[in-house]
Amino acid sequence: MSATDRAEVLEQFEPVIGLEVHVQLNTASKIFCGCPTRFGEPPNSQTCPVCLGLPGALPVLNRVAVDKAMLASLGLNATVNPKSVFARKNYFYPDLPKGYQISQYDQPLAEHGWLDIQPEDASAPKRIGVTRLHLEEDAGKNIHEGPGLAVTTARSSYVDLNRAGVPLLEIVSEPDLRSPEEAFDYLTRLKQIMLYLEVSDCNMEEGSLRCDANVSLRPRGAAQFGTKVEVKNLNSFRYLQRALEYEIGRQAEVLRGGGRILQETRLFHPADSTTASMRSKEQAHDYRYFPEPDLAPLVIDAAWRAAITAALPELPEAKRARLQSAYGLTAYDAQVLAASRALADYFEQAAAGAANPKAIANWVMGDLQAALKAAGADLATGRVRPTHIAELVALIDAGAISGKIAKDVFAAMAETGERPQALVEKMGVRQISDTSALEAMVAEAIAANPKQVEQYRAGKTALLAFFVGQVMKASRGQAQPALVNDLLRQQLGS
């Protein structure tokens, strides 16, 4: 849909979007059995009678999964219910060996949360409601072999049940989103919070974070929602945005032509950025929910809730605000540094007690990130320690090395892991700040360039940079630039 077409659609219709986000919790074992949850293991090697749905096998709830789900709920400002109930959601899929999914229905783990986003065209944040968060088990994975690798054209299909029973937290938003861009922002911030809370690795390529979108259109100014369509198979932020853009355009075309939107589930096809009908949308009664008879109600008392509340870390929005106020950083700097909990912690370790936190922030956001990317490393495996960054900035501020020399020292730090102080001595790059030594170099530069001296004294003061360059060359870049400038002005002036 072109920008012109989109503008025409949005002039006539208002999109209404809600997201259902599935977050795989990073527990060591599955939600109802002791099987491991490692990704990439040989097919069907991480299964047992419980996750295979064999007769007589009984589920046992994983307490760590509940802890992580509660932490995520509190991080999204939701109310954790004192009692929640597991239910059987009955429907047939070949990757659900029991023939039903253990989930939660009318009594979920948590409800009534919210998450703030920042629309580009708004000066204030917009609050997006979170309807509910509930625990459930993941299904297995179907693998199709044949032309196009699609179930309709496959010659063979296989089922890998390693993923069956991995704990999932489903996070259902209110239909408060009004554009693909808002949906993108919402999912981005939700993922960031999950990573801060360390409840999931949120690896979309491995299926740890998946998203379904409910989207409908209504005439501008109307109060009643239109018929919603669910779009599945959205395993990247880009796919989410492209699918919503296509679906908004498709529904607008149907409505403009006098047609009716069908309530259905559609699949997104990344190859051509289109959606296609998968099945008519099920209603809750189609799943024939009933309480899971093999699991007692989940009761969370005040002490348990208090313990999880105490474990809540500082979340991204609060961290951004504190980085600005505590260290005098710009909003942009704070946003970049707070992008991950690890990066923010690294910066704060480097800036602790430092006189120039802004300079430290610049090194962390710039040279450090570039060095890590080039080496294929991260903050944990990289060789530059936070204290090394602080020491490097202190050397620059003290005039011991120039900013240009600091770049070379940093490169050596990234390669060897040595402290900058030791590298400065080893490399012999400490700045010359001895006035008498620099006076001699300045005098030599002036004596060797009489023509330029005459031009400078005739008013061509831009030649000062030429003389600075001569002195820096003679000192192999070690002369202190500020002092060189002062001495040159004095001697050229005379």
Side-chain angles (χ1 to χ4, degrees):
M1 184 166 51
S2 69
T4 303
D5 291 340
R6 180 176 177 179
E8 291 178 358
V9 168
L10 296 182
E11 188 174 332
Q12 185 176 359
F13 299 104
E14 180 181 46
V16 177
I17 301 166
L19 299 186
E20 298 174 8
V21 180
H22 293 83
V23 179
Q24 271 191 1
L25 301 175
N26 54 1
T27 55
S29 58
K30 296 183 180 181
I31 188 170
F32 299 122
C33 66
C35 290
T37 57
R38 293 186 300 270
F39 180 82
E41 296 297 310
N44 300 305
S45 63
Q46 300 185 153
T47 58
C48 72
V50 174
C51 50
L52 288 176
L54 299 183
L58 296 176
V60 177
L61 181 59
N62 184 336
R63 183 183 176 109
V64 176
V66 179
D67 287 344
K68 289 179 178 287
M70 288 171 61
L71 195 63
S73 300
L74 294 172
L76 292 173
N77 308 290
T79 300
V80 174
N81 293 322
K83 177 185 174 183
S84 57
V85 175
F86 285 95
R88 290 189 180 184
K89 183 179 183 182
N90 294 274
Y91 63 105
F92 174 75
Y93 279 111
D95 51 9
L96 272 173
K98 294 193 296 289
Y100 60 86
Q101 179 189 40
I102 300 179
S103 182
Q104 292 183 316
Y105 175 45
D106 56 344
Q107 293 179 268
L109 177 74
E111 299 173 280
H112 313 307
W114 52 265
L115 170 62
D116 285 342
I117 64 171
Q118 183 58 64
E120 289 186 2
D121 58 351
S123 58
K126 177 180 178 179
R127 181 152 295 179
I128 307 301
V130 174
T131 310
R132 55 185 277 141
L133 302 95
H134 66 257
L135 276 165
E136 61 188 21
E137 60 180 339
D138 207 345
K141 184 178 181 181
N142 294 319
I143 302 165
H144 307 295
E145 185 180 82
L149 301 181
V151 66
T152 54
T153 56
R155 287 192 294 265
S156 303
S157 291
Y158 307 91
V159 180
D160 178 8
L161 296 174
N162 280 349
R163 195 173 69 182
V166 169
L168 275 186
L169 180 66
E170 181 169 347
I171 304 169
V172 182
S173 82
E174 292 285 339
D176 293 340
L177 301 161
R178 294 293 177 265
S179 70
E181 292 76 19
E182 288 189 2
F184 185 98
D185 190 13
Y186 171 87
L187 188 58
T188 300
R189 291 172 187 265
L190 188 148
K191 176 184 177 181
Q192 187 181 44
I193 290 173
M194 296 300 108
L195 290 172
Y196 259 68
L197 295 170
E198 298 179 345
V199 299
S200 173
D201 63 19
C202 294
N203 189 325
M204 298 187 85
E205 292 182 359
E206 297 180 0
S208 300
L209 181 71
R210 311 194 294 272
C211 178
D212 300 334
N214 293 302
V215 56
S216 64
L217 296 185
R218 63 181 175 185
R220 282 282 168 188
Q224 186 175 354
F225 291 159
T227 302
K228 70 178 179 181
V229 170
E230 183 182 35
V231 184
K232 286 186 173 291
N233 196 30
L234 305 176
N235 59 354
S236 82
F237 290 88
R238 190 162 51 94
Y239 289 177
L240 169 66
Q241 193 160 357
R242 284 163 51 190
L244 289 173
E245 288 171 352
Y246 174 83
E247 190 59 24
I248 289 169
R250 184 192 71 84
Q251 292 188 26
E253 187 175 344
V254 171
L255 293 172
R256 283 172 164 175
R260 184 171 62 89
I261 301 298
L262 302 177
Q263 184 166 339
E264 60 181 342
T265 297
R266 299 177 70 88
L267 282 179
F268 175 67
H269 295 303
D272 57 2
S273 296
T274 62
T275 67
S277 182
M278 178 183 177
R279 60 178 180 265
S280 61
K281 174 63 178 172
E282 301 93 338
Q283 302 294 330
H285 62 262
D286 293 328
Y287 295 123
R288 302 186 311 283
Y289 282 100
F290 63 86
E292 169 57 63
D294 295 329
L295 288 169
L298 174 59
V299 177
I300 297 170
D301 60 22
W304 190 358
R305 189 183 297 103
I308 299 300
T309 302
L312 273 172
E314 183 180 42
L315 294 177
E317 186 175 350
K319 192 175 287 291
R320 286 190 290 267
R322 187 175 57 78
L323 290 179
Q324 287 183 253
S325 61
Y327 300 99
L329 302 182
T330 65
Y332 173 80
D333 292 344
Q335 182 175 349
V336 172
L337 292 170
S340 77
R341 186 173 169 183
L343 185 61
D345 289 348
Y346 185 102
F347 164 75
E348 293 211 75
Q349 290 174 41
N356 193 350
K358 170 60 178 171
I360 290 174
N362 290 341
W363 280 94
V364 170
M365 293 186 295
D367 295 72
L368 176 67
Q369 296 289 71
L372 291 175
K373 183 177 180 180
D378 56 26
L379 292 169
T381 58
R383 295 187 171 184
V384 180
R385 299 295 90 210
T387 53
H388 296 176
I389 297 279
E391 188 175 300
L392 183 68
V393 170
L395 287 170
I396 299 170
D397 290 347
I401 57 174
S402 66
K404 182 179 180 181
I405 290 173
K407 297 281 187 181
D408 297 330
V409 174
F410 181 86
M413 289 163 54
E415 183 177 348
T416 67
E418 292 186 62
R419 291 180 53 190
Q421 180 75 44
L423 286 168
V424 167
E425 303 303 330
K426 184 185 292 187
M427 296 165 66
V429 292
R430 183 174 289 276
Q431 274 195 155
I432 301 170
S433 55
D434 182 291
T435 303
S436 59
L438 291 179
E439 282 178 339
M441 293 182 188
V442 167
E444 288 177 9
I446 290 174
N449 298 281
K451 181 178 178 182
Q452 285 81 0
V453 171
E454 184 178 346
Q455 290 173 333
Y456 177 89
R457 289 174 174 165
K460 198 173 180 180
T461 55
L463 282 168
L464 182 67
F466 165 79
F467 288 103
V468 171
Q470 297 301 303
V471 177
M472 296 304 291
K473 183 178 179 181
S475 68
R476 295 183 300 169
Q478 292 178 245
Q480 191 179 86
L483 188 52
V484 169
N485 274 269
D486 291 341
L487 293 173
L488 279 167
R489 288 192 180 93
Q490 292 173 18
Q491 294 198 29
L492 287 170
S494 62

